[in-house]
Amino acid sequence: MIFGGTTYSVLVVSSSEQFVSFITPLLPKADYYPVRTVKTAGEARRIANEIGFDIILINAPLHDEFGNVLASDLSEKSNAGVLLFVKNELYEDIYSKVIENGVMVIGKPVPGMMVAQTLRMMCAARERMRMMEKKQASVEEKISEIRLVNRAKWQLISSQDMTEEDAHHYIEKLAMDKRISRKDAALEILGEQ
């Protein structure tokens, strides 16, 4: 197991069964689960909208489009790491089109060891993204609490003729006396609890 019990969900998008046969052994269930495989960009868009994936592997070209637009779309609209496989002679051109969207590109043919190492780098990047998502959620929660406490302060200022400092102390004391959070104290003042 790469990251102590964490598995990474994978979407493989390939019109080629040969590519699926090549990539499948590089995705052991202990590290990558579940692994879903689709053949077209249309199927990939549909399933990616329904299910969040950690890693998306796209083998270009696909039957219904080349794959670079799909890669860019999925990278922009999800938190998944997106890896696009293209022929070596197309690498530079495609890379320049998708890099600004955070898509990784790898030239084919490619040794399995290089793909396995790239997948591990994608897992590390996904872990970093998860940490950032947690931090962002925490910041958003704190901002929400501050807004709620401020609303309660303004209600106390307008209805109880308190100063802002007095309203602040009132909320702090209410929270301390009732052994509740400032958020819950604010909700109580606002009558929303």
Side-chain angles (χ1 to χ4, degrees):
M1 292 190 169
I2 297 173
F3 288 99
T6 301
T7 59
Y8 300 88
S9 57
V10 180
L11 175 62
V12 178
V13 187
S14 177
S15 299
S16 163
E17 287 299 324
Q18 184 179 1
F19 178 82
V20 173
S21 297
F22 163 74
I23 206 76
T24 300
L26 302 174
L27 300 168
K29 281 187 180 183
D31 298 325
Y32 306 99
Y33 183 83
V35 176
R36 302 284 298 264
T37 303
V38 296
K39 295 180 184 251
T40 66
E43 290 175 291
R45 283 186 175 89
R46 183 186 52 75
I47 196 167
N49 282 335
E50 293 173 7
I51 303 170
F53 290 95
D54 295 311
I55 298 171
I56 300 173
L57 308 175
I58 302 170
N59 178 41
L62 302 170
H63 288 312
D64 53 347
E65 67 177 71
F66 184 76
N68 58 314
V69 173
L70 172 68
S72 293
D73 288 349
L74 294 177
S75 184
E76 284 179 21
K77 295 174 183 170
S78 73
N79 290 332
V82 179
L83 179 59
L84 179 62
F85 293 82
V86 298
K87 288 184 179 177
N88 272 327
E89 55 269 17
L90 301 174
Y91 175 85
E92 289 299 328
D93 181 45
I94 299 300
Y95 175 81
S96 67
K97 291 178 182 176
V98 299
I99 187 63
E100 67 187 35
N101 297 313
V103 175
M104 292 185 244
V105 182
I106 198 163
K108 301 184 292 188
V110 59
M113 179 61 93
M114 181 182 244
V115 174
Q117 290 171 347
T118 302
L119 287 168
R120 287 181 177 238
M121 285 186 266
M122 292 179 80
C123 291
R126 184 65 185 115
E127 287 304 309
R128 182 150 173 85
M129 179 88 72
R130 283 186 190 165
M131 288 188 309
M132 291 170 56
E133 288 167 354
K134 284 180 186 176
K135 286 179 184 177
Q136 181 179 349
S138 174
V139 167
E140 288 173 3
E141 190 175 306
K142 287 176 184 174
I143 289 170
S144 174
E145 180 181 320
I146 289 168
R147 286 184 178 143
L148 189 63
V149 169
N150 283 338
R151 276 184 42 219
K153 277 186 205 178
W154 286 111
Q155 182 166 324
L156 289 170
I157 290 167
S158 64
S159 68
Q160 303 291 323
D161 225 15
M162 292 183 180
T163 66
E164 184 176 357
E165 189 176 327
D166 290 340
H168 178 79
H169 289 301
Y170 181 85
I171 293 169
E172 292 284 327
K173 184 166 178 4
L174 179 64
M176 190 172 61
D177 290 348
K178 291 195 168 190
R179 294 186 176 159
I180 58 176
S181 68
R182 290 175 358 124
K183 178 182 177 182
D184 289 340
L187 286 169
E188 188 175 309
I189 290 164
L190 294 167
E192 295 179 13
Q193 196 173 33

